[in-house]
Amino acid sequence: MARSNVNIVNSALNIIGASNIVSLDENSKAGRVMNQMFEGVRDAVFRNHPWKCLIRRAELAQETSAPAYGYSYQYPLPVDPYCLRVLEFDNGSLSYPWDNMIGDGGLPAFVIEGRKLVTNSATAKIKYVARITDPNEYDAGLIDVLSARLAAEAAYAITGSTTVVQIVASLYEQKLKEARFLDATEGATVRLEASDFIESRF
């Protein structure tokens, strides 16, 4: 069965006991609320964890102009698919976070400033969390988390009940922990950043 954004939204509405919608642009209270918040909530959930189904790799194209000071090179972050969070950086000989990548003068080997990666490395490859807009590429855990987060964000606007808000917020935290654990432990063992490892254990 093909997935759609409307399916995800309707799962969220079902959690809070609201009626389904037919489309995100329908002129109903639920439609207006979900249409307003869907993309922002989706991106926040995507950034919250390095979901494997959203990870992409890219070799960045160096800009002809250099940063005003501090670093020698700058690279625009990918837009197709759009980069939401840089997870790893590779300059051809060292990789962050696996190697101790301290640049000249004790500066970090790279930093993200706006929509650019700045560095002293003449080569820049990244692994990143991408804004994937086709729900058919999401795994089941991510869909559960996204639906629960949408339900939590929309609960008061749609139901007016603080009790429902508290119940759904707790459900979201539970779904997030379960999905993070499964996502982080799928596949070959990898070295995780401390924060992701700690958060995905519970």
Side-chain angles (χ1 to χ4, degrees):
M1 177 180 173
R3 297 166 174 161
S4 69
N5 291 337
V6 172
N7 295 149
I8 294 171
V9 166
N10 283 334
S11 293
L13 293 172
N14 292 339
I15 291 172
I16 59 177
S19 299
N20 286 356
I21 62 172
V22 175
S23 69
L24 275 170
D25 59 0
E26 77 172 40
N27 188 24
S28 64
K29 184 175 184 179
R32 291 191 298 272
V33 169
M34 287 299 186
N35 187 44
Q36 181 181 31
M37 68 174 51
F38 181 83
E39 291 185 357
V41 171
R42 178 200 62 198
D43 286 0
V45 169
F46 285 4
R47 279 179 52 84
N48 198 256
H49 175 77
W51 305 101
K52 288 183 172 62
C53 61
L54 303 178
I55 291 177
R56 300 294 185 270
R57 298 172 188 258
E59 181 168 1
L60 305 184
Q62 186 184 119
E63 288 192 344
T64 55
S65 60
Y69 66 92
Y71 289 92
S72 301
Y73 307 102
Q74 58 188 8
Y75 301 82
L77 294 176
V79 294
D80 186 21
Y82 189 92
C83 175
L84 289 171
R85 177 184 170 192
V86 174
L87 301 172
E88 296 178 17
F89 169 77
D90 188 307
N91 66 4
S93 58
L94 295 173
S95 297
Y96 167 87
W98 323 127
D99 298 309
N100 183 21
M101 296 187 70
I102 301 298
D104 299 339
L107 293 172
F110 76 99
V111 294
I112 305 299
E113 296 179 348
R115 293 297 305 163
K116 295 180 182 180
L117 180 150
V118 298
T119 178
N120 285 325
S121 299
T123 298
K125 299 177 182 179
I126 63 170
K127 184 163 80 170
Y128 68 99
V129 176
R131 178 191 285 155
I132 304 302
T133 57
D134 181 0
N136 292 291
E137 297 193 39
Y138 307 163
D139 67 29
L142 175 55
I143 288 176
D144 276 352
V145 171
L146 181 52
S147 295
R149 177 67 179 269
L150 284 165
E153 296 286 348
Y156 189 76
I158 294 176
T159 70
S161 169
T162 55
T163 301
V164 172
V165 171
Q166 293 170 355
I167 292 171
V168 178
S170 177
L171 175 66
Y172 163 68
E173 293 296 335
Q174 176 187 339
K175 294 281 189 183
L176 179 60
K177 289 175 183 177
E178 292 173 354
R180 277 177 164 178
F181 176 79
L182 291 173
D183 190 72
T185 56
E186 184 178 27
T189 302
V190 295
R191 182 174 157 194
L192 297 172
E193 295 181 61
S195 60
D196 289 328
F197 175 73
I198 291 170
E199 291 173 349
S200 64
R201 286 181 65 199
F202 303 99

